[in-house]
Amino acid sequence: MCGIVGYIGDRQAAPILLEGLKKLEYRGYDSAGVAVYDGDKINVVKTKGRLSILEEKLKGGSNLSGTMGIGHTRWATHGAPSDINSHPHTSLSGNIAVVHNGIIENYLKLRDDLAEKGYKFVSETDTEVIAHLVDYYYKGDLVDALIKAINRIEGSYALGIICKERPDEIVAVRKDSPLIVGLGDQENFIASDIPAILEYTRNIYLLEDNEVVLLKKDDVKIYNLNKEEIKKEVFTVQWDVSAAEKGGYEHFMIKEICEQPKAVRDTVFPRIKEGKIVLDDIKLTKEEIDDIKKIYIVACGTAYYAGIVGKYIIEKLARIPVEADVASEFRYRNPIVDENTLVIIISQSGETADTLAALREARRKGARVLSVVNVVGSSIARESDDVLYTWAGPEIAVASTKAYSTQLNAMYLIALHIALIKGTITQEEADKVIEALKQLPEKIQHILDNKEKIQYFASQYFRSKDIFFLGRGLDYAVALEGSLKLKEISYIHSEAYAAGELKHGTIALIEDGTLVVAVATQEHLFEKMLSNIKEVKARGAVVLAIAQEGNTEIEKEADYVIYIPKTDPLLTSSLTVIPLQLFAYYVAVAKGCDVDKPRNLAKSVTVE
Ligand code: AGP
């Protein structure tokens, strides 16, 4: 996700901003920029691409003078990566410059309101709206203008704002996106994360949501939204720089596992307006949806396993035949595809070679292509008819976690959208699922808050040589992902099986002490799962069950039980996958594996 840095003091700002942005590169980005006040005006230099391009343009910062400024690395959500979409964004007068991390959910309405007042927009971003909104409210007090502006804004944001008429101050605020204040000697800082300012100071304010900052070089004030001053405790950073680059987490993978509540919220909430699914990104008309006779869901690896969940959900709600296929098979088997086929492509990176080739094969045969992608402006996104972006933010760890969770939620949204348009479910039935969807982030957080039990279990079984994952229906689909997670980061052999299939051969491999992870959240299949657990127990297996809270019956059969909060039966995969991710992570850590960069693997397989 985006990175923000701000500086005010007696030193030249540009080199400090550049160095701070470099320390935030781990957050992933596709463009960068700075805005510095030079004593007369605000100079903005920004560019698509790597920081090195910006550094070259700035000659290391030497050709941009001034002791107050803000900097930004952008992870595109609204508007493809480009120079003009890069931050900072300014008001047309050049009086206000803004950098932003987050998503403004109501930016289209704000944009229309401002356009009616004569404001002109030059970018495709949600952020530019903030520059004009603050400008609109600015009457000489920047804090007042910011508070008025954020009272109009819905969504998540960390903002850094400077004003030509207020050269001795920077204002900032956060809501749902991280922002800290660095306290120096005759200089002060704002930043998205500690690494950006750690070389200058260890004394920081950790901002809470809706805390507004007025930063001067020799004074920092924090206000609430009523402009009442808040007294903050100074936090002294104990981390060394390298650890802090992961925001204090030991690995990117655990950081991204813990970011899932926010990733799911950012992906889903902007698409539920007044209780209704609103997918502005999908242009499929009712007639086109009614003409769909078959849906393929095509992807690789984890994205493919998200597609299998999608298959179950779309068939259940929309009653259209769905086939999930791995891209490397789909592309070479002359698939039966025509203009009545919808092909859903899923990809975190949007650059996976097999998946891109499958997309092209589908289009060549006349299919409509809808892609679910995390990287804005990626090849798959650009070549699709419709794109439903997952707003997971950059996923650095090779093993996909938060992207998978947002892909699941994209499947839920698409299934509900199509089913409501086809009329295969009533609005009342949809409302029940939508209400449960909105509760997923907090339920994921509840599981994360109790991760120690899973860590303990992993410490008991990390020496296993073979681990089996069993499930039925949606539980089988998520068992596939759990098995892949374990394999790719711990190098332990693992297989996921439809539980009813085990007795057709593979049960021959179960012997004394074999660990079996049994996912048993689907109530209508629970008795069958219980039988399968008994089958493997009878052959000496140790069983870890994943079940919904309240199901105590399973404790009679399983050796260990991890409970997930109750939710709509259609949505259990979003919760079940969390313990499976954590199990894989803690086993890999216990084995001393390179969790973020497993052997032989790449984050994006851009070759066949
Ligand atoms: C998942 O943990 C792996 N990193 C891998 O299976 C990945 O999901 C697959 O390569 C697809 O990548 P994509 O989503 O970027 O297309």
Side-chain angles (χ1 to χ4, degrees):
M1 65 198 77
C2 310
I4 288 173
V5 187
Y7 173 79
I8 189 164
D10 294 325
R11 292 191 278 172
Q12 286 302 298
I16 293 173
L17 297 175
L18 271 175
E19 283 312 305
L21 293 176
K22 285 179 188 173
K23 296 289 193 313
L24 298 178
E25 281 194 285
Y26 76 86
R27 301 167 67 84
Y29 68 100
D30 43 53
S31 54
V34 296
V36 175
Y37 177 75
D38 68 0
D40 170 45
K41 64 189 179 316
I42 294 173
N43 295 306
V44 176
V45 179
K46 58 185 186 176
T47 179
K48 176 182 176 182
R50 310 305 294 166
L51 265 178
S52 53
I53 300 170
L54 178 66
E55 191 166 25
E56 175 56 36
K57 284 189 170 186
L58 291 172
K59 299 285 181 270
S62 59
N63 64 359
L64 195 59
S65 68
T67 63
M68 181 273 277
I70 48 179
H72 188 265
T73 48
R74 178 178 184 241
W75 172 264
T77 54
H78 296 68
S82 66
D83 292 357
I84 196 68
N85 285 337
S86 308
H87 302 202
H89 288 284
T90 59
S91 58
L92 285 188
S93 63
N95 188 37
I96 304 288
V98 177
V99 289
H100 167 226
N101 174 19
I103 290 171
I104 305 303
E105 296 170 8
N106 64 333
Y107 81 99
L108 289 173
K109 179 166 185 333
L110 293 172
R111 189 180 173 119
D112 293 345
D113 292 352
L114 287 161
E116 285 172 14
K117 295 177 174 67
Y119 282 85
K120 301 275 183 283
F121 292 82
V122 298
S123 80
E124 305 163 289
T125 67
D126 54 343
T127 303
E128 189 187 351
V129 165
I130 301 171
H132 298 306
L133 201 56
V134 172
D135 182 67
Y136 173 71
Y137 286 117
Y138 179 73
K139 302 287 183 282
D141 185 315
L142 199 51
V143 172
D144 287 347
L146 174 57
I147 291 175
K148 289 190 176 88
I150 54 181
N151 281 330
R152 294 280 308 281
I153 291 168
E154 295 168 18
S156 59
Y157 45 83
L159 298 174
I161 299 172
I162 61 176
C163 174
K164 185 173 62 173
E165 296 176 11
R166 314 283 302 179
D168 61 348
E169 57 191 53
I170 295 176
V171 297
V173 66
R174 62 147 291 172
K175 176 179 169 290
D176 292 340
S177 291
L179 194 67
I180 60 169
V181 174
L183 305 167
D185 178 9
Q186 291 301 304
E187 60 183 15
N188 289 303
F189 309 77
I190 57 168
S192 297
D193 203 352
I194 291 169
I197 50 101
L198 196 51
E199 70 177 278
Y200 310 107
T201 179
R202 286 185 175 277
N203 297 322
I204 64 171
Y205 286 146
L206 296 168
L207 292 180
E208 304 294 333
D209 279 359
N210 298 317
E211 290 184 341
V212 176
V213 183
L214 174 58
L215 204 73
K216 297 179 186 280
K217 77 170 187 176
D218 54 3
D219 181 46
V220 177
K221 285 196 169 37
I222 312 282
Y223 299 101
N224 62 21
L225 295 185
N226 298 320
K227 207 176 175 184
E228 296 155 343
E229 195 173 342
I230 299 168
K231 288 299 174 204
K232 299 278 290 181
E233 287 292 310
V234 175
F235 173 83
T236 303
V237 180
Q238 303 305 323
W239 294 326
D240 61 72
V241 173
S242 61
E245 278 166 357
K246 301 178 182 73
Y249 289 93
E250 187 181 355
H251 300 102
F252 283 115
M253 185 174 176
I254 189 65
K255 180 170 184 281
E256 288 156 10
I257 287 173
C258 293
E259 285 175 341
Q260 290 182 110
K262 180 180 185 311
V264 166
R265 188 182 300 114
D266 284 350
T267 298
V268 172
F269 283 34
R271 289 147 172 164
I272 297 176
K273 292 182 169 58
E274 292 160 15
K276 300 288 181 282
I277 304 279
V278 177
L279 298 189
D280 293 337
D281 343 56
I282 296 179
K283 307 288 180 292
L284 276 167
T285 64
K286 174 168 174 46
E287 293 68 31
E288 286 166 331
I289 287 176
D290 286 339
D291 286 345
I292 295 171
K293 296 294 178 286
K294 169 106 182 228
I295 295 175
Y296 281 99
I297 301 178
V298 181
C300 298
T302 286
Y304 166 61
Y305 293 141
I308 294 182
V309 171
K311 164 192 164 61
Y312 282 101
I313 303 293
I314 295 172
E315 287 192 338
K316 170 88 176 171
L317 295 181
R319 307 308 298 159
I320 298 174
V322 181
E323 184 173 343
D325 201 352
V326 289
S328 54
E329 289 297 308
F330 179 86
R331 66 181 291 195
Y332 290 119
R333 65 183 176 86
N334 190 16
I336 301 167
V337 169
D338 61 24
E339 63 283 354
N340 293 329
T341 308
L342 172 65
V343 173
I344 300 175
I345 297 285
I346 305 176
S347 176
Q348 188 284 130
S349 62
E351 302 297 344
T352 301
D354 281 322
T355 309
L356 184 55
L359 180 158
R360 290 168 176 164
E361 173 70 357
R363 297 209 67 175
R364 190 177 65 79
K365 293 189 166 211
R368 174 78 177 241
V369 173
L370 158 61
S371 65
V372 174
V373 179
N374 197 42
V375 179
V376 174
S378 55
S379 303
I380 286 173
R382 283 198 310 271
E383 296 189 28
S384 299
D385 297 302
D386 298 289
V387 184
L388 187 67
Y389 281 118
T390 50
W391 288 327
E395 190 174 65
I396 313 294
V398 166
S400 182
T401 51
K402 63 176 182 174
Y404 172 82
S405 284
T406 58
Q407 290 161 358
L408 291 190
N409 281 268
M411 293 293 107
Y412 303 147
L413 292 170
I414 291 168
L416 286 163
H417 178 74
I418 292 176
L420 282 166
I421 288 174
K422 282 180 63 73
T424 46
I425 60 170
T426 64
Q427 186 62 53
E428 187 186 4
E429 288 167 327
D431 291 349
K432 189 169 79 67
V433 182
I434 291 168
E435 193 46 45
L437 257 182
K438 289 165 62 177
Q439 295 170 17
L440 284 180
E442 66 193 66
K443 291 184 174 180
I444 293 171
Q445 188 59 53
H446 174 78
I447 299 169
L448 294 171
D449 292 344
N450 297 281
K451 54 182 175 290
E452 288 68 25
K453 188 175 176 186
I454 299 159
Q455 184 172 14
Y456 169 74
F457 184 79
S459 71
Q460 303 302 301
Y461 288 93
F462 74 94
R463 295 182 185 85
S464 303
K465 296 295 176 230
D466 294 288
I467 298 180
F468 290 83
F469 290 73
L470 300 183
R472 287 174 177 259
L474 284 169
D475 287 339
Y476 166 55
V478 80
L480 289 163
E481 170 58 12
S483 174
L484 174 63
K485 280 288 95 44
L486 183 75
K487 281 183 281 193
E488 65 177 325
I489 62 174
S490 74
Y491 315 144
I492 292 176
H493 171 256
S494 165
E495 293 188 52
Y497 256 80
E501 187 62 12
L502 199 66
K503 57 184 171 295
H504 296 282
T506 304
I507 200 166
L509 294 177
I510 305 291
E511 53 194 21
D512 263 356
T514 302
L515 179 59
V516 173
V517 179
V519 186
T521 70
Q522 298 298 296
E523 288 168 15
H524 69 295
L525 296 167
F526 179 71
E527 289 309 318
K528 299 291 180 193
M529 272 308 292
L530 221 46
S531 304
N532 297 135
I533 290 171
K534 288 174 185 171
E535 279 167 17
V536 294
K537 287 288 292 173
R539 278 115 183 133
V542 173
V543 175
L544 163 66
I546 314 283
Q548 289 206 72
E549 280 169 358
N551 176 350
T552 52
E553 190 183 354
I554 198 153
E555 292 177 13
K556 298 173 192 161
E557 302 301 336
D559 299 283
Y560 303 87
V561 182
I562 300 284
Y563 285 106
I564 60 165
K566 284 186 81 61
T567 184
D568 188 291
L570 286 174
L571 308 183
T572 57
S573 306
S574 285
L575 301 181
T576 316
V577 75
I578 307 301
L580 301 184
Q581 292 168 343
L582 290 167
F583 175 65
Y585 172 75
Y586 288 124
V587 165
V589 169
K591 289 192 68 178
C593 296
D594 183 349
V595 172
D596 287 334
K597 296 184 181 62
R599 68 188 182 201
N600 311 335
L601 296 179
K603 182 57 188 169
S604 178
V605 184
T606 53
V607 295
E608 274 203 57

